[in-house]
Amino acid sequence: MGIGGGEMEVDSVFIGAGCNRVVNNVSWGACDLVSFGAQNAVAIFCPKTAQIVTTLPGHKAYVNCTHWLPASKFAFKARHLESHYLLSGDADGTIILWELSLFDKKWKNALEVPEKHKKGVTCLSAIMISRMEFMFVSSSSDGVVNVWELILPSSSGGECQLTCVDSILVGKKPMVALSLAELPGSDRHLALAMGGLDNKIHIYSSERSVKFSPACELKGHTDWVRSLDFSLPVYTNGETSVFLVSSAQDKGIRIWKMALQASLADNRKEEISLASYIKGPIFSAGSSSYQISLESLLIGHEDWVYSVAWQPPKISTIAGDESHQPLSILSASMDKTMMVWQPEKTTGIWMNMVTVGELSHCALGFYGGQWCPTGRSILAHGYGGSFHLWKNVGIDFDDWKPQKVPSGHFSAVSDISWARQGNYILSVSHDQTSRVFSTWFDDSSGKEAWHEIARPQVHGHDINCVTLIRGKGNHRFVSGAEEKVSRVFEAPLSFLKTLNYATRSQNSSSADELPTTVQILGANMSALGLSQKPIYVQASGESKERSNNEGIDSLETIPEAVPVALTEPPIEEQLAWHTLWPESHKLYGHGNELFSICSDHDGKLVASSCKAQSANVAEIWLWQVGSWKAVGRLHSHTLTVTQLEFSHDNRFLLSVSRDRHFSVFAIKQTGMDEISHELVVKQEAHKRIIWACSWNPFSNEFATGSRDKTVKIWGLENGSSVKLFSTLPTFKSSVTALSWLGIERQRNHGLLAVGMESGLIELWSIVHSKNEDGLSVISSDLAVRLNPYLCHASAVGRLRWKTPEKSNDEEDSVQLASCGADHCVRIFQVRF
């Protein structure tokens, strides 16, 4: 039910999220979508639009690995499929199979693999046997490798059939890399390669759907084997072979050749002679035998090589379902590079043909690399939860260029704040960064899409709270982290120009966006401190020159940032280093780590609180914007104040706390630099911690939400007492976030967004009316319960309605932003 009785629709506009920092987490499917784990959620992004299209809720633990059925390797077999499937495994040992219908782009949870691993899933690998049949393997820290056969339904809407073919015990040193292949030969046996912590590659063979038996071991790597990938059959000189590529923490890559020998005759002993064993081990599967030899050793990476993968077959070279395996391998390493290896045309020696990588100093390297189905693009995911995509745009020669990718936080997102004009949103996270997401008008498509356009703060502490100052003047924000100091940041000229360019379709007044007084172009990180130092407009050239002339003894060894106005959405290298904001002030006073912060609606005051276990530490500090003097210390609570919010007329400050009480303070400006404050009311409101509060934008009512699963609506009467108006029906989970929207054209209507620990979000219609006796009453109805596929996969951290300065009376839709422990920042469009 919508406002005024109409239906209400909620759509997802944007999802920003970083990738879990684990190997085997990312998979590029034959459907040309990329899957990855973002905390407990499985996120799906479209490389063409550089947007995350959805997240899949269902896992109760951190998602370790995902794998498409079919993956990009089997795109040549996937042309007639109506549905594609996705496997995801988590740190609890649970594996879920998801189904994507290509017809309506709808997702569903197809099944949960029945016999779960006892510990976290470390790797998933699969092979497409036929249109209807897949085999997949899963490895776990519990020392078990399970082999499964999956039969797809013959018609849409049918059930998948899953049977466990084998369970292989590998002992105390678990396997972390797996690959399956069909062995060449008439009887079509399967080979399974496993690698792990014992530095060996274990080859198992099997007839279809029959238990696997050990075939041989391949030795050569001197450290943990991290990745394995079988090629499709390769036909050379009348010989049929399958290649296996392996990579390890010894920085080396090895290519092994499995050649089909002539079928075994009765004189078996004579055939397998000593001479053939010198080449390498031989194993038999049914009536065929296979000779394994080391084809090549590739040295080039300077750090652990976390992934290797064969290029998918080119679609043009396919006749029927037969495929031609390109001799091309992609490797990704912790040395921050990805390399493409191919044999030289004349000598056949494998060489590094392409190297791409990240040059920023703060990256710690790549956890994995993926090919797209056509082999024209390659994707890496890095230590900072970031993606790095390169596309070969050359026609007659290779020319790899970086492409736009989705980005976001790689740890819980703790707070968000809208800019005063609503044209961007700022988020902060326990990944120690703050990020700006904005709409970006694309000239080629004529559409707007959200992208990360700046990373103002790169900090040494987990950031807990933030507020953008709402008043006129330059864009400023105050953030509080796991330290006792609040920090004030001011937008530099490079950001103002970028924002002006990004939002040019919104006709924002350029006079307001580009104040002539801004002399700071950007900011640099200091090598030993946490402060971000300004780079001045005139001095940007000088500072560069100076930094090059400083001796090796200089402590400032971090390279100079080069802040520039951006004309297209930035990629990771630019974001990580060239979009910092300078820090203008530090606010000292709190006795513990900062926990919550807010500013008033005129941009004149900021209130902050810190973690506390006693009344004197739980005080709320008031700071004057501009001079940044402490102008008040408010005493009321005995434990941590969890959220603060000013009423919309700025007369009252509401605080809620772990001590189960709320407090309302009257705030008055008495002089230029003086504030008077008075505790109006303090009341015990809930049975458990109060996590959230929000004011009605049009009157003195407010809502509180608690761990006791209730939301209560209170009214401030005569500015001196509080009355409980209404208690919403008990929710199924703790209430962790609230935000109250006033509807301009119907001032007695409101919409209260409620976020829960389960990740779900509900919108409640709040109607203010008078009863027969002329007394105010409030009624509440559930307006819409958001689809779980739109919501967070774990606790909602904060909800914020977009409230631009100029309100349009005809507006029939509004945006709601949310952030959560699933690393996601989400923006919803709510239509009344």
Side-chain angles (χ1 to χ4, degrees):
M1 219 261 315
I3 300 297
E7 283 301 309
M8 192 178 292
E9 289 178 16
V10 182
D11 296 312
S12 175
V13 176
F14 169 72
I15 304 169
C19 180
N20 287 346
R21 303 195 286 181
V22 283
V23 187
N24 303 323
N25 184 23
V26 178
S27 178
W28 198 325
C31 55
D32 208 17
L33 292 174
V34 176
S35 62
F36 65 96
Q39 206 243 11
N40 294 3
V42 179
I44 310 294
F45 91 75
C46 173
K48 285 191 176 75
T49 60
Q51 296 286 312
I52 296 174
V53 288
T54 190
T55 56
L56 311 178
H59 286 285
K60 294 183 173 59
Y62 200 76
V63 175
N64 282 341
C65 40
T66 63
H67 192 87
W68 279 97
L69 308 177
S72 56
K73 184 180 193 175
F74 294 103
F76 68 96
K77 284 187 177 183
R79 285 171 295 182
H80 310 298
L81 292 179
E82 292 170 12
S83 296
H84 284 236
Y85 293 82
L86 177 66
L87 290 164
S88 57
D90 68 24
D92 273 353
T94 303
I95 299 171
I96 296 178
L97 178 72
W98 309 89
E99 181 184 342
L100 167 65
S101 165
L102 295 185
F103 170 66
D104 57 6
K105 300 288 186 279
K106 288 269 170 60
W107 284 90
K108 76 170 189 185
N109 183 329
L111 59 85
E112 194 170 304
V113 175
E115 299 165 38
K116 68 179 243 180
H117 286 285
K118 293 184 176 61
K119 290 186 181 174
V121 182
T122 54
C123 186
L124 292 165
S125 183
I127 183 172
M128 189 173 183
I129 306 282
S130 67
R131 266 191 67 191
M132 310 307 298
E133 186 185 0
F134 286 89
M135 299 282 291
F136 73 87
V137 278
S138 59
S139 64
S140 164
S141 312
D142 62 7
V144 175
V145 174
N146 286 334
V147 185
W148 301 86
E149 182 180 44
L150 177 69
I151 309 291
L152 302 183
S154 51
S155 60
S156 60
E159 295 292 312
C160 298
Q161 294 176 348
L162 186 66
T163 47
C164 185
V165 175
D166 201 356
S167 196
I168 304 166
L169 295 169
V170 296
K172 289 181 180 173
K173 293 192 172 176
M175 297 296 148
V176 293
L178 302 168
S179 188
L180 274 170
E182 283 192 86
L183 290 169
S186 56
D187 43 8
R188 309 201 49 172
H189 288 268
L190 295 180
L192 166 63
M194 305 192 294
L197 280 54
D198 63 357
N199 310 352
K200 298 175 196 165
I201 300 165
H202 303 264
I203 307 291
Y204 282 68
S205 66
S206 153
E207 289 180 44
R208 182 89 47 83
S209 304
V210 176
K211 287 193 179 300
F212 280 79
S213 54
C216 61
E217 289 179 357
L218 306 180
K219 297 174 185 174
H221 286 294
T222 57
D223 207 336
W224 294 4
V225 177
R226 295 312 303 233
S227 182
L228 295 165
D229 191 30
F230 273 116
S231 71
L232 295 161
V234 176
Y235 309 100
T236 48
N237 306 329
E239 184 184 59
T240 307
S241 311
V242 170
F243 287 97
L244 172 68
V245 62
S246 61
S247 70
Q249 288 180 187
D250 60 10
K251 308 175 192 176
I253 300 167
R254 289 168 180 262
I255 303 172
W256 312 84
K257 183 179 180 181
M258 276 187 194
L260 175 63
Q261 302 289 90
S263 55
L264 292 177
D266 291 333
N267 56 350
R268 189 168 176 154
K269 287 177 185 166
E270 289 175 39
E271 197 164 315
I272 302 178
S273 62
L274 185 62
S276 60
Y277 271 111
I278 292 170
K279 289 184 188 171
I282 290 178
F283 71 92
S284 55
S287 60
S288 306
S289 69
Y290 301 88
Q291 169 87 57
I292 301 183
S293 55
L294 181 64
E295 174 80 1
S296 191
L297 173 61
L298 312 183
I299 303 291
H301 284 293
E302 295 169 7
D303 209 333
W304 298 357
V305 185
Y306 266 139
S307 90
V308 279
W310 289 95
Q311 183 181 327
K314 294 184 171 71
I315 302 295
S316 59
T317 58
I318 292 161
D321 262 1
E322 288 300 307
S323 61
H324 168 70
Q325 172 67 61
L327 291 179
S328 180
I329 291 167
L330 174 70
S331 62
S333 162
M334 279 308 263
D335 66 6
K336 305 179 198 172
T337 63
M338 281 204 299
M339 294 181 179
V340 177
W341 306 81
Q342 292 164 353
E344 247 188 351
K345 288 192 171 70
T346 49
T347 60
I349 295 170
W350 284 79
M351 302 287 286
N352 166 18
M353 300 297 186
V354 178
T355 303
V356 292
E358 184 184 12
L359 300 173
S360 77
H361 74 285
C362 50
L364 257 175
F366 295 148
Y367 279 122
Q370 299 284 322
W371 290 99
C372 82
T374 61
R376 299 288 293 178
S377 297
I378 52 178
L379 175 79
H381 66 106
Y383 178 81
S386 54
F387 288 107
H388 308 262
L389 178 64
W390 288 269
K391 186 176 183 183
N392 188 358
V393 295
I395 309 287
D396 301 323
F397 57 92
D398 281 358
D399 184 13
W400 294 85
K401 288 277 189 286
Q403 305 293 306
K404 290 197 292 272
V405 283
S407 66
H409 294 283
F410 56 90
S411 191
V413 188
S414 45
D415 205 353
I416 46 176
S417 184
W418 282 100
R420 60 175 174 267
Q421 290 181 316
N423 51 5
Y424 69 86
I425 192 167
L426 176 73
S427 61
V428 295
S429 161
H430 293 166
D431 69 5
Q432 309 187 351
T433 66
S434 67
R435 302 177 189 234
V436 172
F437 298 95
S438 170
T439 52
W440 195 288
F441 185 75
D442 184 1
D443 291 317
S444 57
S445 66
K447 291 180 183 171
E448 280 184 344
W450 285 80
H451 292 281
E452 184 180 348
I453 65 162
R455 208 165 289 171
Q457 184 181 5
V458 182
H459 206 289
H461 297 281
D462 295 4
I463 309 175
N464 290 330
C465 49
V466 71
T467 184
L468 275 157
I469 311 296
R470 294 197 71 81
K472 291 283 182 200
N474 194 6
H475 302 264
R476 288 172 289 188
F477 72 86
V478 188
S479 67
E482 293 284 319
E483 57 173 348
K484 300 175 185 180
V485 187
S486 303
R487 294 169 186 268
V488 183
F489 294 85
E490 197 154 323
L493 194 60
S494 58
F495 173 79
L496 299 177
K497 287 180 175 176
T498 298
L499 184 67
N500 217 32
Y501 189 88
T503 57
R504 62 195 182 283
S505 67
Q506 298 175 4
N507 301 320
S508 54
S509 84
S510 52
D512 181 51
E513 293 298 331
L514 290 173
T516 51
T517 53
V518 176
Q519 292 299 307
I520 294 172
L521 185 64
N524 247 328
M525 198 68 189
S526 84
L528 294 179
L530 294 172
S531 299
Q532 292 170 195
K533 297 180 175 179
I535 298 173
Y536 291 94
V537 174
Q538 314 90 323
S540 59
E542 298 164 25
S543 65
K544 208 181 232 177
E545 209 174 292
R546 192 173 63 250
S547 70
N548 292 341
N549 296 335
E550 281 176 0
I552 296 166
D553 297 337
S554 163
L555 294 171
E556 300 281 336
T557 52
I558 290 182
E560 285 278 311
V562 188
V564 289
L566 302 164
T567 54
E568 56 181 41
I571 56 173
E572 179 68 19
E573 285 80 348
Q574 293 164 303
L575 284 167
W577 195 232
H578 303 313
T579 60
L580 294 174
W581 291 18
E583 185 182 311
S584 61
H585 293 85
K586 294 183 180 69
L587 310 182
Y588 295 96
H590 284 292
N592 273 332
E593 298 90 345
L594 270 291
F595 195 83
S596 65
I597 206 160
C598 77
S599 63
D600 70 358
H601 300 273
D602 292 339
K604 292 178 180 170
L605 277 182
V606 168
S608 61
S609 72
C610 69
K611 293 180 181 177
Q613 292 188 326
S614 62
N616 60 338
V617 183
E619 61 191 2
I620 298 161
W621 285 60
L622 293 178
W623 312 88
Q624 187 168 52
V625 172
S627 69
W628 299 110
K629 288 179 185 166
V631 289
R633 292 163 70 170
L634 282 51
H635 293 268
S636 173
H637 295 284
T638 55
L639 293 172
T640 306
V641 173
T642 53
Q643 196 179 346
L644 296 157
E645 191 170 301
F646 282 94
S647 62
H648 285 252
D649 58 8
N650 294 327
R651 288 172 53 212
F652 299 103
L653 174 65
L654 170 65
S655 61
V656 292
S657 165
R658 281 179 176 271
D659 64 12
R660 307 171 190 181
H661 289 71
F662 67 74
S663 302
V664 179
F665 300 90
I667 307 289
K668 222 180 257 169
Q669 186 120 15
T670 52
M672 278 296 287
D673 284 354
E674 290 175 18
I675 300 287
S676 75
H677 51 84
E678 178 194 357
L679 178 62
V680 174
V681 66
K682 176 185 178 181
Q683 185 164 328
E684 183 163 3
H686 291 269
K687 297 188 179 76
R688 307 285 301 275
I689 292 170
I690 309 176
W691 280 125
C693 62
S694 186
W695 285 97
N696 178 348
F698 295 129
S699 59
N700 287 336
E701 287 107 33
F702 58 87
T704 57
S706 161
R707 186 181 274 173
D708 66 10
K709 304 181 182 177
T710 62
V711 172
K712 295 183 179 181
I713 295 173
W714 312 80
L716 189 61
E717 299 190 320
N718 309 321
S720 59
S721 64
V722 164
K723 174 186 172 187
L724 175 62
F725 273 126
S726 170
T727 302
L728 271 54
T730 306
F731 292 87
K732 290 179 180 169
S733 179
S734 299
V735 176
T736 53
L738 292 172
S739 188
W740 194 321
L741 173 75
I743 308 297
E744 189 75 43
R745 59 178 184 268
Q746 296 170 292
R747 286 187 164 239
N748 59 340
H749 277 73
L751 202 57
L752 185 66
V754 181
M756 288 168 262
E757 195 173 32
S758 60
L760 298 179
I761 298 170
E762 293 181 2
L763 304 183
W764 285 75
S765 176
I766 310 291
V767 182
H768 201 290
S769 58
K770 298 256 194 276
N771 65 6
E772 295 162 3
D773 305 328
L775 297 171
S776 289
V777 290
I778 285 181
S779 60
S780 53
D781 284 304
L782 177 63
V784 65
R785 183 175 280 135
L786 271 65
N787 185 325
Y789 281 78
L790 292 179
C791 296
H792 293 273
S794 48
V796 180
R798 190 77 80 228
L799 291 164
R800 295 267 190 236
W801 290 102
K802 174 177 168 179
T803 50
E805 284 181 330
K806 299 186 186 79
S807 154
N808 182 354
D809 286 349
E810 301 301 311
E811 194 71 57
D812 61 353
S813 76
V814 70
Q815 288 185 331
L816 171 67
S818 71
C819 66
D822 61 355
H823 309 178
C824 291
V825 173
R826 297 169 189 268
I827 298 172
F828 306 98
Q829 192 83 27
V830 181
R831 292 183 180 81
F832 306 139

